[in-house]
Amino acid sequence: QVQFVESGGGLVQPGGSLRLSCSASGFTLQPYATAWFRQAPGKEREGVSCIESISGNTLYADSVKGRFTISRHNAENTVYLQMDSLNSEDTAVYYCATGRIFNLQLWAFDDWGQGIQVTVSS
């Protein structure tokens, strides 16, 4: 069971940047993978990015590739999502999650953060 503290969300203008942080605690062994998901109003939750805890390998959804960067500070159990060149399509609630597979599928992730709002608007 993992508990999360998420921060860094808010309102930004199109073309702007935002950095999300996810600090995790409450587990004795680090999860295999940590990921960011997002859910826009009226839409299904989708995977954004994933990072493998040991190797540092990363995955990105095509919609954010080249604009978003995921990173992890393992000693502090913190995962970051740097979001650049934001546009209105990025507006959503973003969730941090940990799971048992290095992928971007919902079923593989068991522990979830509370979600944090990201709004891109002028």
Side-chain angles (χ1 to χ4, degrees), residues 58-97:
T58 58
L59 293 172
Y60 297 94
D62 289 339
S63 59
V64 306
K65 193 173 298 181
R67 299 188 298 119
F68 290 11
T69 303
I70 190 171
S71 61
R72 182 181 181 115
H73 193 290
N74 286 335
E76 297 182 351
N77 293 322
T78 302
V79 174
Y80 306 94
L81 185 67
Q82 177 67 42
M83 304 183 293
D84 299 319
S85 300
L86 288 163
N87 58 66
S88 60
E89 301 299 315
D90 298 314
T91 295
V93 176
Y94 284 71
Y95 299 88
C96 181

Side-chain angles (χ1 to χ4, degrees), residues 1 15-16 66 75 120:
Q1 182 67 41
V120 185

Side-chain angles (χ1 to χ4, degrees), residues 93-109:
V93 176
Y94 284 71
Y95 299 88
C96 181
T98 58
R100 56 189 182 271
I101 190 170
F102 180 56
N103 215 316
L104 288 174
Q105 296 185 331
L106 283 169
W107 60 264
F109 294 85

